[in-house]
Amino acid sequence: MENLLVEDDTINMKHKENKTCKLTPRLQLIADMVPAGTRVADIGTDHAYIPIYLVTKGIATYAIASDVRPGPVGKALENVKKYGLTNSIDIRLGNGLETIKPGEVDVIIIAGMGGILITDILTASKRVLNNIKRLILQPMIAQEEVRRWLAENHFIIADEALAAEGHKIYNIIAAEPGDEKIEKEIYYSVGKKLIEKRDPLLGTWLIKSINTMERILMQMEDKDSNNVCILREEFKKKIWEYEKIKKMIEKE
Ligand SMILES: C[S@@+](CC[C@H](N)C(=O)[O-])C[C@H]1O[C@@H](n2cnc3c(N)ncnc32)[C@H](O)[C@@H]1O
C-alpha cells in the first residue's frame, strides 16, 4: 500500500502549487461509496488523502481525519495545509472513534486495518454509531468477521466492491443501519453483493483465496490434532463453496 496517491494529469485534487493528484483504485472505490453532502470521519486516516479528496470534490461538506499515532497525524496535517483545507478538515489524535462525538458525522470510514481491529474499534464506541448513515470499511484481512459483526450489530450491507492494487485484491464494504437475515453462511466470507453485482474482480479473488486455502491444507497434511482436523474440514467445505460460485459466475 505504498503508492497511495498517484500524481497524474487528471484534475482530481489540486493543491496550492496547482499540482494535481489522483487516488489509487482502492482509495477511489472507498471515496466513491461516500454519499454526497455528508460529514465524514476517516479513522486511521494516515495521509488524509480520502478526506482531502472528498472535500476538494465537494462530496463531503466537512471531514475529520483521525489517527492514533502522532506520525500519521502530522502527515495528515501537512497534507491538509498543502491543499488549503484547514477550515473544512479537522485533524484529531486518538484511539478509534474516541475522537468523534455522537452526531458529529454521517459517514465513518475505517480502511487499511485488520478486520478484528475494525470490529474492536466499532464495539468500543457504539454510542457514536447511533446516528450514522453509512459505515465504509476496508479490512485487510478477516472480512468474514467484519460482515458477521455488521449483521449482529444491526447493520445491513448496502454495497460492496473489490479493488486491485499490485498483486492484492481488497474488499470494501458499505453498511447502513438496519436488520437483515443472512440466508447462507457463505455470504459472510464472500459478500452477497459481490456475487449479485458480478464484481469484475470476484473470479480472480475466488481463485486467489482457493489457492491460499489449498496451500494451507498442504501444510496441514501431516498434522492430525483435533483442531487441525476441524480446520481442514472447514477449508475443504469453503473451497467447494468458492468453486461453486466461481462456476456460476463463469457460466454467464
Ligand atoms: C495502513 S494505514 C491505512 C491508512 C488509510 N486509512 C488507508 O487505507 O490508506 C493504518 C492507519 O491506521 C492507524 N490506526 C491503527 N490503529 C488505530 C486505532 N485504534 N485508531 C485510530 N487509528 C489507528 C495507523 O496509525 C495507520 O495510520
Side-chain angles (χ1 to χ4, degrees), residues 72-133:
V73 162
K75 211 188 315 174
L77 189 58
E78 203 177 294
N79 287 333
V80 167
K81 275 187 187 157
K82 197 158 75 178
Y83 285 87
L85 296 172
T86 43
N87 285 337
S88 38
I89 301 179
D90 267 356
I91 313 282
R92 299 191 185 168
L93 172 67
N95 184 25
L97 289 163
E98 287 168 16
T99 55
I100 312 296
K101 291 192 206 88
E104 236 185 341
V105 292
D106 311 299
V107 177
I108 291 171
I109 297 170
I110 312 181
M113 296 183 208
I116 303 294
L117 177 55
I118 292 177
T119 59
D120 283 350
I121 287 175
L122 295 170
T123 302
S125 298
K126 284 199 179 156
R127 238 163 37 93
V128 180
L129 303 181
N130 278 343
N131 297 310
I132 286 299
K133 289 196 182 122

Short mmCIF file of all heavy atoms in Angstrom, two decimals, residues 72-133:
data_model
loop_
_atom_site.label_atom_id
_atom_site.label_comp_id
_atom_site.label_asym_id
_atom_site.label_seq_id
_atom_site.Cartn_x
_atom_site.Cartn_y
_atom_site.Cartn_z
N PRO A 72 1.33 9.80 11.72
CA PRO A 72 0.31 10.00 10.69
C PRO A 72 -0.48 11.30 10.86
O PRO A 72 -0.83 11.95 9.87
CB PRO A 72 -0.61 8.79 10.87
CG PRO A 72 0.26 7.75 11.48
CD PRO A 72 1.24 8.47 12.35
N VAL A 73 -0.74 11.70 12.11
CA VAL A 73 -1.49 12.94 12.33
C VAL A 73 -0.69 14.13 11.78
O VAL A 73 -1.25 15.02 11.13
CB VAL A 73 -1.82 13.12 13.85
CG1 VAL A 73 -2.18 14.55 14.17
CG2 VAL A 73 -2.97 12.20 14.23
N GLY A 74 0.63 14.10 11.97
CA GLY A 74 1.50 15.15 11.45
C GLY A 74 1.46 15.18 9.92
O GLY A 74 1.35 16.23 9.29
N LYS A 75 1.49 13.96 9.35
CA LYS A 75 1.45 13.83 7.89
C LYS A 75 0.11 14.36 7.35
O LYS A 75 0.05 15.08 6.37
CB LYS A 75 1.57 12.33 7.55
CG LYS A 75 2.27 12.05 6.25
CD LYS A 75 2.23 10.59 5.82
CE LYS A 75 2.54 9.53 6.86
NZ LYS A 75 2.33 8.14 6.35
N ALA A 76 -0.98 13.99 8.05
CA ALA A 76 -2.32 14.43 7.64
C ALA A 76 -2.40 15.96 7.67
O ALA A 76 -2.89 16.58 6.73
CB ALA A 76 -3.38 13.81 8.56
N LEU A 77 -1.87 16.54 8.74
CA LEU A 77 -1.92 17.99 8.91
C LEU A 77 -1.15 18.69 7.79
O LEU A 77 -1.63 19.67 7.20
CB LEU A 77 -1.34 18.36 10.28
CG LEU A 77 -1.49 19.82 10.71
CD1 LEU A 77 -2.96 20.22 10.73
CD2 LEU A 77 -0.88 20.04 12.09
N GLU A 78 0.03 18.14 7.50
CA GLU A 78 0.86 18.69 6.44
C GLU A 78 0.10 18.69 5.10
O GLU A 78 0.07 19.68 4.38
CB GLU A 78 2.10 17.81 6.33
CG GLU A 78 3.32 18.46 5.73
CD GLU A 78 4.47 17.47 5.76
OE1 GLU A 78 4.94 17.11 6.88
OE2 GLU A 78 4.86 17.03 4.67
N ASN A 79 -0.52 17.54 4.79
CA ASN A 79 -1.25 17.42 3.52
C ASN A 79 -2.47 18.34 3.47
O ASN A 79 -2.75 18.97 2.45
CB ASN A 79 -1.69 15.97 3.28
CG ASN A 79 -0.52 15.08 2.91
OD1 ASN A 79 0.47 15.56 2.35
ND2 ASN A 79 -0.60 13.80 3.22
N VAL A 80 -3.20 18.41 4.58
CA VAL A 80 -4.40 19.26 4.63
C VAL A 80 -4.00 20.72 4.43
O VAL A 80 -4.67 21.47 3.71
CB VAL A 80 -5.17 19.02 5.95
CG1 VAL A 80 -6.23 20.10 6.18
CG2 VAL A 80 -5.83 17.65 5.94
N LYS A 81 -2.88 21.12 5.03
CA LYS A 81 -2.39 22.50 4.85
C LYS A 81 -2.00 22.73 3.40
O LYS A 81 -2.31 23.76 2.81
CB LYS A 81 -1.15 22.73 5.74
CG LYS A 81 -1.50 23.13 7.17
CD LYS A 81 -0.21 23.49 7.88
CE LYS A 81 -0.44 23.73 9.35
NZ LYS A 81 0.82 23.54 10.10
N LYS A 82 -1.32 21.72 2.81
CA LYS A 82 -0.85 21.83 1.44
C LYS A 82 -2.01 22.09 0.47
O LYS A 82 -1.88 22.81 -0.50
CB LYS A 82 -0.14 20.52 1.07
CG LYS A 82 0.73 20.59 -0.14
CD LYS A 82 1.78 19.49 -0.14
CE LYS A 82 1.21 18.14 -0.50
NZ LYS A 82 2.21 17.08 -0.56
N TYR A 83 -3.16 21.50 0.77
CA TYR A 83 -4.33 21.67 -0.09
C TYR A 83 -5.22 22.83 0.37
O TYR A 83 -6.31 23.03 -0.17
CB TYR A 83 -5.13 20.36 -0.16
CG TYR A 83 -4.45 19.33 -1.05
CD1 TYR A 83 -3.50 18.47 -0.52
CD2 TYR A 83 -4.73 19.26 -2.41
CE1 TYR A 83 -2.84 17.55 -1.32
CE2 TYR A 83 -4.08 18.34 -3.21
CZ TYR A 83 -3.14 17.49 -2.67
OH TYR A 83 -2.49 16.59 -3.47
N GLY A 84 -4.77 23.55 1.40
CA GLY A 84 -5.52 24.72 1.89
C GLY A 84 -6.88 24.38 2.44
O GLY A 84 -7.86 25.10 2.24
N LEU A 85 -6.97 23.23 3.17
CA LEU A 85 -8.29 22.77 3.62
C LEU A 85 -8.44 22.77 5.15
O LEU A 85 -9.29 22.05 5.68
CB LEU A 85 -8.55 21.36 3.08
CG LEU A 85 -8.62 21.23 1.55
CD1 LEU A 85 -8.69 19.78 1.12
CD2 LEU A 85 -9.85 21.98 1.02
N THR A 86 -7.63 23.57 5.84
CA THR A 86 -7.68 23.54 7.31
C THR A 86 -9.04 23.98 7.87
O THR A 86 -9.39 23.63 8.99
CB THR A 86 -6.55 24.40 7.93
OG1 THR A 86 -6.49 25.62 7.20
CG2 THR A 86 -5.20 23.71 7.86
N ASN A 87 -9.82 24.71 7.09
CA ASN A 87 -11.14 25.13 7.58
C ASN A 87 -12.19 24.03 7.48
O ASN A 87 -13.15 24.03 8.24
CB ASN A 87 -11.66 26.34 6.76
CG ASN A 87 -10.93 27.59 7.16
OD1 ASN A 87 -10.38 27.66 8.27
ND2 ASN A 87 -10.88 28.56 6.26
N SER A 88 -12.00 23.11 6.55
CA SER A 88 -13.04 22.08 6.38
C SER A 88 -12.61 20.68 6.80
O SER A 88 -13.42 19.76 6.80
CB SER A 88 -13.55 22.08 4.93
OG SER A 88 -12.49 22.31 4.04
N ILE A 89 -11.34 20.50 7.16
CA ILE A 89 -10.93 19.17 7.67
C ILE A 89 -10.28 19.34 9.04
O ILE A 89 -9.28 20.05 9.19
CB ILE A 89 -9.94 18.47 6.69
CG1 ILE A 89 -10.58 18.29 5.31
CG2 ILE A 89 -9.51 17.11 7.27
CD1 ILE A 89 -9.67 17.64 4.26
N ASP A 90 -10.86 18.68 10.03
CA ASP A 90 -10.30 18.68 11.39
C ASP A 90 -9.38 17.50 11.53
O ASP A 90 -9.75 16.37 11.17
CB ASP A 90 -11.44 18.47 12.41
CG ASP A 90 -11.99 19.78 12.91
OD1 ASP A 90 -11.45 20.83 12.54
OD2 ASP A 90 -12.97 19.72 13.67
N ILE A 91 -8.20 17.72 12.10
CA ILE A 91 -7.27 16.60 12.32
C ILE A 91 -7.32 16.27 13.81
O ILE A 91 -7.19 17.17 14.65
CB ILE A 91 -5.82 17.00 11.96
CG1 ILE A 91 -5.76 17.70 10.61
CG2 ILE A 91 -4.89 15.81 12.03
CD1 ILE A 91 -5.83 16.84 9.41
N ARG A 92 -7.51 15.00 14.13
CA ARG A 92 -7.60 14.61 15.55
C ARG A 92 -6.68 13.43 15.85
O ARG A 92 -6.50 12.53 15.03
CB ARG A 92 -9.04 14.26 15.90
CG ARG A 92 -9.94 15.47 15.67
CD ARG A 92 -11.31 15.28 16.23
NE ARG A 92 -12.15 16.44 15.86
CZ ARG A 92 -13.45 16.48 16.00
NH1 ARG A 92 -14.09 15.43 16.50
NH2 ARG A 92 -14.13 17.55 15.65
N LEU A 93 -6.15 13.46 17.06
CA LEU A 93 -5.25 12.39 17.51
C LEU A 93 -5.96 11.59 18.60
O LEU A 93 -6.38 12.15 19.62
CB LEU A 93 -3.96 13.01 18.07
CG LEU A 93 -2.97 12.07 18.75
CD1 LEU A 93 -2.35 11.09 17.76
CD2 LEU A 93 -1.85 12.86 19.46
N GLY A 94 -6.10 10.28 18.40
CA GLY A 94 -6.72 9.46 19.44
C GLY A 94 -7.08 8.09 18.92
O GLY A 94 -7.03 7.81 17.72
N ASN A 95 -7.48 7.24 19.86
CA ASN A 95 -7.78 5.85 19.55
C ASN A 95 -9.17 5.69 18.91
O ASN A 95 -10.17 6.15 19.48
CB ASN A 95 -7.69 5.05 20.85
CG ASN A 95 -7.89 3.57 20.63
OD1 ASN A 95 -7.66 3.05 19.53
ND2 ASN A 95 -8.36 2.88 21.66
N GLY A 96 -9.23 5.05 17.79
CA GLY A 96 -10.50 4.68 17.14
C GLY A 96 -11.50 5.82 17.06
O GLY A 96 -11.17 6.93 16.62
N LEU A 97 -12.73 5.52 17.53
CA LEU A 97 -13.80 6.51 17.44
C LEU A 97 -13.89 7.40 18.68
O LEU A 97 -14.84 8.18 18.82
CB LEU A 97 -15.13 5.77 17.23
CG LEU A 97 -15.29 5.15 15.84
CD1 LEU A 97 -16.40 4.11 15.84
CD2 LEU A 97 -15.59 6.22 14.80
N GLU A 98 -12.90 7.27 19.56
CA GLU A 98 -12.91 8.09 20.78
C GLU A 98 -12.78 9.58 20.46
O GLU A 98 -13.08 10.42 21.29
CB GLU A 98 -11.78 7.67 21.73
CG GLU A 98 -12.04 6.34 22.41
CD GLU A 98 -10.81 5.77 23.10
OE1 GLU A 98 -9.84 6.53 23.31
OE2 GLU A 98 -10.82 4.57 23.42
N THR A 99 -12.31 9.89 19.27
CA THR A 99 -12.10 11.30 18.89
C THR A 99 -13.39 11.93 18.31
O THR A 99 -13.40 13.11 17.99
CB THR A 99 -11.00 11.40 17.82
OG1 THR A 99 -11.37 10.55 16.73
CG2 THR A 99 -9.65 10.96 18.35
N ILE A 100 -14.43 11.10 18.14
CA ILE A 100 -15.66 11.58 17.48
C ILE A 100 -16.80 11.67 18.49
O ILE A 100 -17.04 10.73 19.25
CB ILE A 100 -16.07 10.61 16.33
CG1 ILE A 100 -14.87 10.26 15.44
CG2 ILE A 100 -17.25 11.17 15.52
CD1 ILE A 100 -14.26 11.40 14.67
N LYS A 101 -17.52 12.78 18.46
CA LYS A 101 -18.69 12.91 19.35
C LYS A 101 -19.92 12.37 18.62
O LYS A 101 -20.04 12.53 17.40
CB LYS A 101 -18.94 14.39 19.67
CG LYS A 101 -17.88 15.01 20.55
CD LYS A 101 -18.37 16.37 21.04
CE LYS A 101 -17.20 17.27 21.35
NZ LYS A 101 -16.71 18.05 20.21
N PRO A 102 -20.87 11.76 19.35
CA PRO A 102 -22.08 11.27 18.68
C PRO A 102 -22.77 12.41 17.92
O PRO A 102 -22.88 13.52 18.43
CB PRO A 102 -22.96 10.77 19.84
CG PRO A 102 -22.00 10.49 20.95
CD PRO A 102 -20.88 11.47 20.80
N GLY A 103 -23.20 12.15 16.71
CA GLY A 103 -23.92 13.13 15.90
C GLY A 103 -23.02 14.06 15.09
O GLY A 103 -23.51 14.87 14.30
N GLU A 104 -21.72 13.96 15.27
CA GLU A 104 -20.80 14.88 14.59
C GLU A 104 -20.63 14.58 13.10
O GLU A 104 -20.34 15.48 12.32
CB GLU A 104 -19.42 14.76 15.27
CG GLU A 104 -18.89 16.07 15.76
CD GLU A 104 -17.46 15.95 16.31
OE1 GLU A 104 -17.00 14.83 16.65
OE2 GLU A 104 -16.82 16.98 16.37
N VAL A 105 -20.76 13.31 12.73
CA VAL A 105 -20.59 12.94 11.31
C VAL A 105 -21.70 11.99 10.85
O VAL A 105 -22.39 11.39 11.67
CB VAL A 105 -19.20 12.25 11.06
CG1 VAL A 105 -18.07 13.25 11.23
CG2 VAL A 105 -19.01 11.03 11.94
N ASP A 106 -21.86 11.87 9.54
CA ASP A 106 -22.87 10.97 8.96
C ASP A 106 -22.24 9.67 8.48
O ASP A 106 -22.89 8.63 8.40
CB ASP A 106 -23.52 11.63 7.73
CG ASP A 106 -23.98 13.04 8.03
OD1 ASP A 106 -24.83 13.19 8.92
OD2 ASP A 106 -23.47 13.98 7.38
N VAL A 107 -20.96 9.76 8.09
CA VAL A 107 -20.28 8.60 7.48
C VAL A 107 -18.97 8.36 8.23
O VAL A 107 -18.24 9.31 8.52
CB VAL A 107 -19.98 8.88 5.98
CG1 VAL A 107 -19.19 7.73 5.36
CG2 VAL A 107 -21.26 9.13 5.21
N ILE A 108 -18.71 7.09 8.51
CA ILE A 108 -17.42 6.74 9.12
C ILE A 108 -16.68 5.79 8.18
O ILE A 108 -17.24 4.78 7.74
CB ILE A 108 -17.61 6.05 10.50
CG1 ILE A 108 -18.15 7.06 11.52
CG2 ILE A 108 -16.31 5.43 11.00
CD1 ILE A 108 -18.59 6.45 12.84
N ILE A 109 -15.43 6.12 7.90
CA ILE A 109 -14.58 5.26 7.06
C ILE A 109 -13.50 4.67 7.96
O ILE A 109 -12.86 5.40 8.73
CB ILE A 109 -13.90 6.09 5.94
CG1 ILE A 109 -14.96 6.69 5.00
CG2 ILE A 109 -12.91 5.23 5.15
CD1 ILE A 109 -14.41 7.71 4.00
N ILE A 110 -13.33 3.37 7.89
CA ILE A 110 -12.18 2.74 8.56
C ILE A 110 -11.54 1.81 7.52
O ILE A 110 -12.12 0.78 7.16
CB ILE A 110 -12.56 1.95 9.83
CG1 ILE A 110 -13.49 2.77 10.74
CG2 ILE A 110 -11.30 1.53 10.60
CD1 ILE A 110 -13.91 2.06 12.04
N ALA A 111 -10.38 2.18 7.03
CA ALA A 111 -9.76 1.43 5.93
C ALA A 111 -8.31 1.11 6.23
O ALA A 111 -7.63 1.83 6.96
CB ALA A 111 -9.85 2.27 4.65
N GLY A 112 -7.87 -0.02 5.65
CA GLY A 112 -6.45 -0.37 5.73
C GLY A 112 -6.03 -0.97 7.06
O GLY A 112 -4.85 -0.95 7.40
N MET A 113 -6.98 -1.51 7.82
CA MET A 113 -6.65 -2.18 9.09
C MET A 113 -7.21 -3.60 9.05
O MET A 113 -8.06 -3.91 8.21
CB MET A 113 -7.32 -1.47 10.27
CG MET A 113 -6.88 -0.07 10.51
SD MET A 113 -7.73 0.55 11.99
CE MET A 113 -7.75 2.28 11.61
N GLY A 114 -6.78 -4.42 9.99
CA GLY A 114 -7.31 -5.78 10.09
C GLY A 114 -8.79 -5.75 10.48
O GLY A 114 -9.24 -4.81 11.16
N GLY A 115 -9.52 -6.76 10.06
CA GLY A 115 -10.95 -6.82 10.35
C GLY A 115 -11.27 -6.85 11.84
O GLY A 115 -12.25 -6.25 12.29
N ILE A 116 -10.44 -7.53 12.61
CA ILE A 116 -10.70 -7.63 14.05
C ILE A 116 -10.50 -6.28 14.72
O ILE A 116 -11.30 -5.86 15.57
CB ILE A 116 -9.80 -8.71 14.71
CG1 ILE A 116 -9.99 -10.08 14.05
CG2 ILE A 116 -10.03 -8.78 16.22
CD1 ILE A 116 -11.36 -10.72 14.21
N LEU A 117 -9.45 -5.56 14.30
CA LEU A 117 -9.21 -4.22 14.85
C LEU A 117 -10.40 -3.30 14.49
O LEU A 117 -10.87 -2.53 15.33
CB LEU A 117 -7.88 -3.64 14.32
CG LEU A 117 -7.52 -2.22 14.75
CD1 LEU A 117 -7.52 -2.08 16.27
CD2 LEU A 117 -6.16 -1.82 14.20
N ILE A 118 -10.89 -3.43 13.27
CA ILE A 118 -12.05 -2.61 12.86
C ILE A 118 -13.26 -2.90 13.75
O ILE A 118 -13.90 -1.98 14.26
CB ILE A 118 -12.38 -2.85 11.36
CG1 ILE A 118 -11.26 -2.29 10.47
CG2 ILE A 118 -13.73 -2.23 10.99
CD1 ILE A 118 -11.43 -2.53 8.97
N THR A 119 -13.55 -4.18 13.97
CA THR A 119 -14.73 -4.50 14.79
C THR A 119 -14.49 -4.10 16.25
O THR A 119 -15.42 -3.68 16.94
CB THR A 119 -15.13 -6.00 14.69
OG1 THR A 119 -14.03 -6.80 15.12
CG2 THR A 119 -15.53 -6.38 13.29
N ASP A 120 -13.25 -4.18 16.73
CA ASP A 120 -12.95 -3.73 18.10
C ASP A 120 -13.20 -2.23 18.23
O ASP A 120 -13.75 -1.77 19.23
CB ASP A 120 -11.48 -4.03 18.47
CG ASP A 120 -11.25 -5.50 18.79
OD1 ASP A 120 -12.26 -6.23 18.92
OD2 ASP A 120 -10.08 -5.91 18.87
N ILE A 121 -12.79 -1.47 17.23
CA ILE A 121 -12.98 -0.01 17.24
C ILE A 121 -14.48 0.31 17.27
O ILE A 121 -14.94 1.15 18.03
CB ILE A 121 -12.28 0.63 16.01
CG1 ILE A 121 -10.76 0.62 16.21
CG2 ILE A 121 -12.78 2.06 15.77
CD1 ILE A 121 -9.95 1.11 15.01
N LEU A 122 -15.26 -0.41 16.45
CA LEU A 122 -16.70 -0.16 16.39
C LEU A 122 -17.37 -0.54 17.71
O LEU A 122 -18.20 0.20 18.25
CB LEU A 122 -17.33 -0.94 15.22
CG LEU A 122 -16.87 -0.54 13.81
CD1 LEU A 122 -17.36 -1.54 12.77
CD2 LEU A 122 -17.38 0.87 13.45
N THR A 123 -16.98 -1.70 18.26
CA THR A 123 -17.58 -2.18 19.51
C THR A 123 -17.29 -1.22 20.66
O THR A 123 -18.15 -0.98 21.51
CB THR A 123 -17.03 -3.59 19.85
OG1 THR A 123 -17.32 -4.45 18.75
CG2 THR A 123 -17.64 -4.16 21.11
N ALA A 124 -16.09 -0.65 20.67
CA ALA A 124 -15.69 0.21 21.79
C ALA A 124 -16.44 1.54 21.81
O ALA A 124 -16.46 2.21 22.83
CB ALA A 124 -14.18 0.47 21.70
N SER A 125 -17.07 1.93 20.70
CA SER A 125 -17.72 3.26 20.65
C SER A 125 -19.10 3.18 20.02
O SER A 125 -19.42 3.94 19.11
CB SER A 125 -16.84 4.24 19.87
OG SER A 125 -15.61 4.41 20.48
N LYS A 126 -19.93 2.27 20.52
CA LYS A 126 -21.25 2.07 19.88
C LYS A 126 -22.11 3.32 19.92
O LYS A 126 -22.94 3.53 19.04
CB LYS A 126 -21.96 0.89 20.54
CG LYS A 126 -21.40 -0.43 20.09
CD LYS A 126 -22.36 -1.54 20.35
CE LYS A 126 -21.77 -2.84 19.87
NZ LYS A 126 -22.34 -4.00 20.54
N ARG A 127 -21.90 4.17 20.93
CA ARG A 127 -22.69 5.40 21.07
C ARG A 127 -22.53 6.31 19.84
O ARG A 127 -23.47 6.96 19.40
CB ARG A 127 -22.21 6.16 22.31
CG ARG A 127 -23.30 6.41 23.35
CD ARG A 127 -22.70 6.79 24.69
NE ARG A 127 -21.52 7.63 24.58
CZ ARG A 127 -21.52 8.97 24.61
NH1 ARG A 127 -22.65 9.61 24.73
NH2 ARG A 127 -20.41 9.65 24.53
N VAL A 128 -21.32 6.30 19.28
CA VAL A 128 -21.03 7.15 18.11
C VAL A 128 -21.77 6.63 16.87
O VAL A 128 -22.04 7.37 15.93
CB VAL A 128 -19.49 7.21 17.87
CG1 VAL A 128 -19.14 8.07 16.68
CG2 VAL A 128 -18.77 7.71 19.11
N LEU A 129 -22.13 5.34 16.91
CA LEU A 129 -22.73 4.73 15.71
C LEU A 129 -24.24 4.99 15.61
O LEU A 129 -24.85 4.73 14.58
CB LEU A 129 -22.49 3.21 15.71
CG LEU A 129 -21.02 2.77 15.79
CD1 LEU A 129 -20.93 1.25 15.77
CD2 LEU A 129 -20.21 3.36 14.64
N ASN A 130 -24.82 5.54 16.69
CA ASN A 130 -26.27 5.70 16.75
C ASN A 130 -26.90 6.48 15.59
O ASN A 130 -27.92 6.07 15.07
CB ASN A 130 -26.69 6.35 18.07
CG ASN A 130 -26.76 5.29 19.16
OD1 ASN A 130 -26.82 4.10 18.85
ND2 ASN A 130 -26.71 5.71 20.41
N ASN A 131 -26.28 7.59 15.21
CA ASN A 131 -26.90 8.42 14.16
C ASN A 131 -26.15 8.34 12.83
O ASN A 131 -26.28 9.22 11.99
CB ASN A 131 -26.94 9.88 14.62
CG ASN A 131 -27.79 10.02 15.84
OD1 ASN A 131 -28.93 9.55 15.87
ND2 ASN A 131 -27.23 10.63 16.88
N ILE A 132 -25.40 7.28 12.67
CA ILE A 132 -24.58 7.16 11.48
C ILE A 132 -25.42 6.70 10.28
O ILE A 132 -26.27 5.82 10.40
CB ILE A 132 -23.42 6.15 11.76
CG1 ILE A 132 -22.38 6.80 12.66
CG2 ILE A 132 -22.79 5.60 10.50
CD1 ILE A 132 -21.70 8.02 12.07
N LYS A 133 -25.19 7.33 9.12
CA LYS A 133 -25.92 6.93 7.90
C LYS A 133 -25.21 5.77 7.20
O LYS A 133 -25.81 4.93 6.58
CB LYS A 133 -25.99 8.11 6.92
CG LYS A 133 -26.91 9.21 7.38
CD LYS A 133 -27.23 10.14 6.20
CE LYS A 133 -28.11 11.29 6.65
NZ LYS A 133 -27.53 12.60 6.38
#
